[in-house]
Amino acid sequence: MDAVQRRRSMYKGTTPPWKETYRKRCVERLKNSRSRLLEKFRQVGEDSGGSKHSLLVQEVMEEEWSALQSANRSLPSLWSGNGIRDVYTAQQDYDELSAFEEIQQELIAQELLILEEYNSSMRYEEQYMNSVLEGMEASGQIICPVCHVNNLTVSSHFTSCPCGLYVNTIGRNVTAGVLQNLLEQRVTEHMEDCLHNPSFSMAFNTDGSPNLMISCKVCDYLSVVL
């Protein structure tokens, strides 16, 4: 065994000193790039959700390695020439190949989780909107977004539900169609920035008048529906 091989054998399995910092930065960048990921996902279609090829992981790893490398000139450039294998060749002493593969698999799992949450949220919106349309077709009314059980009573004076929802709509020209559009707009607006399901509730203005609100505990989204 020559000197190079002995050295590689000595360091084999050793955790690279940059691994944890790089891993954390990649995970954080991927989470912060959610909008970018979803845009790519929409462009290529939903079939990509089950694809073995990631949509954003390589870009994230490249961007973060470049940032790390600019702060530590002893690290080699990444994805130049033959791609990531250049780093593996240059840094074999610390078993970088295993480290990169581990980080890559974690990021792919994170990416798939984001896409699954997005698909779940899309299914929620579709199911809710279908229930709204079915309710309107069956009775000319809208299913209550608070209890998801009863049909709303929408009149020129108020919108109410047996579950306790009540909003005064005198002089606001609110109809079932107007309310349906408002609900669709708020749900869609929330989904542009958050993958989690929103909730609806009653809230009161400073003057004591009630409003129908949509909110999300995850992203702190809050908006008046009616």
Side-chain angles (χ1 to χ4, degrees), residues 74-127:
S74 66
L75 297 176
S77 297
L78 184 58
W79 278 286
S80 59
N82 295 322
I84 197 170
R85 293 186 181 277
D86 290 345
V87 175
Y88 297 158
T89 301
Q91 298 283 84
Q92 285 180 27
D93 288 347
Y94 293 100
D95 199 16
E96 266 78 358
L97 175 59
S98 176
F100 273 102
E101 288 180 341
E102 182 180 330
I103 293 170
Q104 184 180 51
Q105 290 306 310
E106 180 179 354
L107 292 174
I108 289 174
Q110 287 280 348
E111 183 180 88
L112 290 174
L113 179 60
I114 292 173
L115 294 178
E116 177 53 35
E117 288 177 341
Y118 172 73
N119 282 330
S120 176
S121 185
M122 288 292 290
R123 288 193 295 270
Y124 166 83
E125 182 185 20
E126 182 179 359
Q127 290 169 359

Side-chain angles (χ1 to χ4, degrees), residues 23-214:
R23 186 193 70 80
K24 289 180 178 178
R25 290 176 61 159
C26 283
V27 171
E28 189 65 24
R29 180 179 285 268
L30 182 62
K31 290 180 178 178
N32 291 337
S33 302
R34 183 177 59 193
S35 296
R36 204 165 116 208
L37 171 60
L38 295 181
E39 182 59 31
K40 282 179 173 287
F41 179 64
R42 295 186 190 105
Q43 289 174 356
V44 301
E46 294 188 1
D47 288 342
S48 63
S51 173
K52 295 181 180 179
H53 303 288
S54 64
L55 296 172
L56 197 62
V57 169
Q58 180 168 317
E59 290 181 27
V60 166
M61 293 182 71
E62 180 179 1
E63 290 165 358
E64 279 306 325
W65 184 264
S66 295
L68 198 65
Q69 193 265 342
S70 65
N72 185 351
R73 294 298 179 181
S74 66
L75 297 176
S77 297
L78 184 58
W79 278 286
S80 59
N82 295 322
I84 197 170
R85 293 186 181 277
D86 290 345
V87 175
Y88 297 158
T89 301
Q91 298 283 84
Q92 285 180 27
D93 288 347
Y94 293 100
D95 199 16
E96 266 78 358
L97 175 59
S98 176
F100 273 102
E101 288 180 341
E102 182 180 330
I103 293 170
Q104 184 180 51
Q105 290 306 310
E106 180 179 354
L107 292 174
I108 289 174
Q110 287 280 348
E111 183 180 88
L112 290 174
L113 179 60
I114 292 173
L115 294 178
E116 177 53 35
E117 288 177 341
Y118 172 73
N119 282 330
S120 176
S121 185
M122 288 292 290
R123 288 193 295 270
Y124 166 83
E125 182 185 20
E126 182 179 359
Q127 290 169 359
Y128 174 72
M129 293 308 169
N130 285 339
S131 69
V132 168
L133 292 174
E134 290 171 1
M136 290 191 69
E137 291 174 357
S139 61
Q141 295 181 323
I142 300 175
I143 293 177
C144 176
V146 176
C147 69
H148 298 280
V149 175
N150 304 302
N151 287 328
L152 293 175
T153 297
V154 182
S155 73
S156 59
H157 292 76
F158 62 86
T159 295
S160 67
C161 175
C163 73
L165 183 151
Y166 182 91
V167 179
N168 188 324
T169 56
I170 295 177
R172 298 168 66 179
N173 297 319
V174 175
T175 63
V178 169
L179 180 54
Q180 179 191 355
N181 288 333
L182 289 172
L183 289 168
E184 290 177 354
Q185 289 172 13
R186 295 298 179 270
V187 171
T188 300
E189 181 180 78
H190 168 259
M191 284 188 60
E192 290 177 354
D193 297 310
C194 183
L195 303 175
H196 297 269
N197 295 336
S199 60
F200 294 86
S201 61
M202 290 291 298
F204 295 89
N205 293 328
T206 54
D207 61 1
S209 58
N211 290 116
L212 173 61
M213 309 290 295
I214 179 175

